[in-house]
């Protein structure tokens, strides 16, 4: 039987609670679809940092390399200064394990409320491929004359051709496999590049040239669109049905996927994958640790369950992944009152049970 080694890192706040539900659903899938998940817990996060001063040590990264995937809950602790855990754990894992894709589906499920008037699951059904290793996230920077009236702060946005090409390659391949035509819900497979070629005339010029070169040469059947990032924000609200797969740099991808998440029902449902197609990938609900709800059993575990679903899809367990997707859609359409914490009509663990039971059926 195929066995996968999974590192489970519940993290902070409500992270561990939602992760328990994701694991519950994975166990239901494993029993039914004939593979095994060998799961190991890791306690990296704010509590451990407060105890030991340690975020995510190099030895943990080396340990993670022996796993097939990582399932993450959430990172962020109210007693720890912002930036320490984010940089020390989340970003460290992304960069050290070279998880160069951040895959963030923007899909509205039946039964989930969206703030977009007149839009439903048919219209809100696209994916953002966010580059995950470059841009201002890893560009150099610093201060001079700090604390004086002449203080200077610099932080550069950097892209290499290599980073851009490997991200585009993934995005084109993803579009070929999961674009709207491939999924039977549209006439074309379309990849849209989101940039800012009118101002960031260096880095997005590089992206645009690489995009059209690769598209023309290797993917002539995939339609190519280009959007400025500011306009993208408008269209994400006004005409999300235009989009199929979008690809963009790290910073723009971070920003537009929070907008995307709220249009799909919010942080209770939005999931993402930090993917290294040749290495160890890490899957996470994209909402934060929601510390004020910790331990109350009211937080929505669906985002974590959807992250686990993406993990199985990436590992190649596509049948099980499809089943979990269907189960989540069944639960949102027929059971839950709302995606918001405390308003679901069920507790955190009851929502996990509903999905797990459906998967086991
Ligand atoms: C995200 C988050 C992170 C990011 C933060 C917590 C570092 O906002 O995953 O989108 O900026 O990538
Ligand atoms: Mn973000």
């Amino acid at each position: 039987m195929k066995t996968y080694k999974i590192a489970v890192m519940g993290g902070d706040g409500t992270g561990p609670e939602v992760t328990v539900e994701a694991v519950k659903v994975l166990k239901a899938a494993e029993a039914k679809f004939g593979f095994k998940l060998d799961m190991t817990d890791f306690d990296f996060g704010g509590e451990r940092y407060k105890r030991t001063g340690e975020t995510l040590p190099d030895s943990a990264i080396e340990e993670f390399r022996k796993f097939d995937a990582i399932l993450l809950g959430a990172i962020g602790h109210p007693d720890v200064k912002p930036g320490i855990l984010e940089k020390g754990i989340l970003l460290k894992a992304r960069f050290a394990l070279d998880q160069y894709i951040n895959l963030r589906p923007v899909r509205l499920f039946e039964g989930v409320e969206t703030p977009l008037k007149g839009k439903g699951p048919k219209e809100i059904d696209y994916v953002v491929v966010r580059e995950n290793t470059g841009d201002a996230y890893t560009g150099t920077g610093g201060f001079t004359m700090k604390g004086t009236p002449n203080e200077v702060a610099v932080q550069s946005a950097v892209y290499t051709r290599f980073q851009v090409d490997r991200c585009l390659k993934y995005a084109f391949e993803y579009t070929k496999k999961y674009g709207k035509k491939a999924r039977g819900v549209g006439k074309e497979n379309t990849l849209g590049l989101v940039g800012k070629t009118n101002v960031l005339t260096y880095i997005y010029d590089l992206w645009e040239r690489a995009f059209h070169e690769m598209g023309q040469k290797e993917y002539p059947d995939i339609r190519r669109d280009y959007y400025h990032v500011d306009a993208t924000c408008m269209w994400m609200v006004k005409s999300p049905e235009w989009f199929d797969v979008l690809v963009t740099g790290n910073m723009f991808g971070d920003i537009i996927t929070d907008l995307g998440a709220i249009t799909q029902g919010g942080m209770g449902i939005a999931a993402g994958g930090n993917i290294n197609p040749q290495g160890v990938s890490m899957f996470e609900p994209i909402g934060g640790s929601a510390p004020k709800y910790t331990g109350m059993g009211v937080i929505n575990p669906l985002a974590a369950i959807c992250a686990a679903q993406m993990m199985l899809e990436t590992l190649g367990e596509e049948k099980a992944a499809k089943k979990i997707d269907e189960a989540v859609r069944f639960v949102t359409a027929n059971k839950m009152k709302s995606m918001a914490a405390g308003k679901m009509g069920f507790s955190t663990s009851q929502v996990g049970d509903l999905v797990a039971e459906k998967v086991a059926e």
Side-chain angles (χ1 to χ4, degrees):
M1 198 186 294
K2 190 127 201 207
T3 301
Y4 303 97
K5 280 179 59 120
I6 309 296
V8 180
M9 187 159 53
D12 300 323
T14 53
E17 296 165 51
V18 295
T19 306
V20 165
E21 302 312 313
V23 167
K24 186 190 279 176
V25 171
L26 286 171
K27 292 224 177 286
E30 141 190 272
K32 178 154 177 154
F33 290 91
F35 58 89
K36 224 183 117 23
L37 299 172
D38 176 6
M39 299 193 249
T40 309
D41 280 310
F42 290 87
D43 70 347
F44 299 108
E47 287 302 324
R48 180 170 168 139
Y49 173 74
K50 279 172 61 188
R51 234 175 30 242
T52 67
E54 190 172 68
T55 49
L56 187 65
D58 294 341
S59 58
I61 296 289
E62 288 318 308
E63 186 71 22
F64 284 163
R65 290 189 202 283
K66 299 179 202 144
F67 286 80
D68 292 297
I70 304 164
L71 190 62
L72 172 66
I75 296 296
H77 195 292
D79 304 344
V80 181
K81 201 176 139 217
I84 293 177
L85 301 172
E86 292 85 343
K87 283 191 169 167
I89 300 178
L90 184 63
L91 296 180
K92 178 158 181 182
R94 286 180 187 170
F95 300 150
L97 297 170
D98 206 17
Q99 294 163 341
Y100 62 86
I101 298 298
N102 198 327
L103 188 66
R104 296 188 160 179
V106 182
R107 296 221 161 97
L108 181 69
F109 294 161
E110 210 65 65
V112 177
E113 204 182 324
T114 174
L116 300 188
K117 195 171 137 209
K119 304 294 177 188
K122 260 215 185 81
E123 287 79 27
I124 303 172
D125 181 14
Y126 59 97
V127 179
V128 178
V129 177
R130 166 187 173 189
E131 201 289 330
N132 214 27
T133 62
D135 212 334
Y137 279 76
T138 47
T140 55
F143 302 106
T144 50
M145 295 174 279
K146 192 170 176 188
T148 76
N150 294 319
E151 176 168 351
V152 180
V154 181
Q155 194 144 18
S156 54
V158 176
Y159 265 114
T160 67
R161 179 78 195 222
F162 171 75
Q163 286 174 319
V164 170
D165 274 341
R166 67 181 183 173
C167 178
L168 289 171
K169 182 88 203 160
Y170 182 91
F172 276 114
E173 286 294 324
Y174 186 90
T175 308
K176 192 163 132 184
K177 194 162 173 202
Y178 297 109
K180 282 189 166 168
K181 184 175 177 199
R183 288 191 288 125
V185 298
K187 290 199 199 83
E188 284 179 301
N189 291 329
T190 308
L191 180 61
L193 172 65
V194 176
K196 187 74 184 170
T197 53
N198 52 351
V199 175
L200 301 180
T201 48
Y202 303 111
I203 59 174
Y204 279 101
D205 185 79
L206 168 58
W207 273 90
E208 199 181 28
R209 275 181 286 118
F211 176 64
H212 290 300
E213 264 174 45
M214 188 178 291
Q216 233 157 42
K217 245 192 241 149
E218 297 174 53
Y219 303 94
D221 297 340
I222 294 176
R223 178 193 153 114
R224 296 189 302 278
D225 286 337
Y226 170 81
Y227 306 99
H228 290 323
V229 64
D230 44 356
T232 305
C233 292
M234 284 196 324
W235 302 128
M236 282 171 73
V237 173
K238 190 163 187 290
S239 311
E241 63 277 10
W242 286 4
F243 299 134
D244 184 356
V245 182
L246 295 176
V247 61
T248 190
N250 206 350
M251 192 80 252
F252 293 163
D254 175 48
I255 297 165
I256 69 171
T257 54
D258 265 28
L259 176 55
I262 200 67
T263 68
Q264 73 182 112
M267 290 306 181
I269 185 94
N274 301 278
I275 297 175
N276 176 341
Q278 293 83 32
V280 185
S281 302
M282 177 170 75
F283 300 83
E284 54 173 337
I286 79 174
S289 57
K292 70 176 176 189
Y293 296 120
T294 306
M296 293 165 66
V298 296
I299 196 83
N300 189 345
L302 286 185
I305 292 170
C306 290
Q309 188 271 344
M310 291 180 76
M311 180 178 86
L312 289 185
E313 188 170 271
T314 308
L315 289 171
E317 292 296 336
E318 302 219 354
K319 274 196 191 135
K322 184 154 184 284
K323 184 79 188 182
I324 296 177
D325 181 61
E326 287 165 5
V328 169
R329 287 172 191 266
F330 173 83
V331 170
T332 63
N334 301 295
K335 303 283 182 185
M336 292 168 74
K337 289 205 187 87
S338 160
M339 294 301 111
K343 297 183 182 151
M344 301 186 291
F346 297 93
S347 70
T348 303
S349 107
Q350 283 173 329
V351 172
D353 288 342
L354 288 170
V355 179
E357 278 159 23
K358 194 75 193 166
V359 167
E361 240 174 39

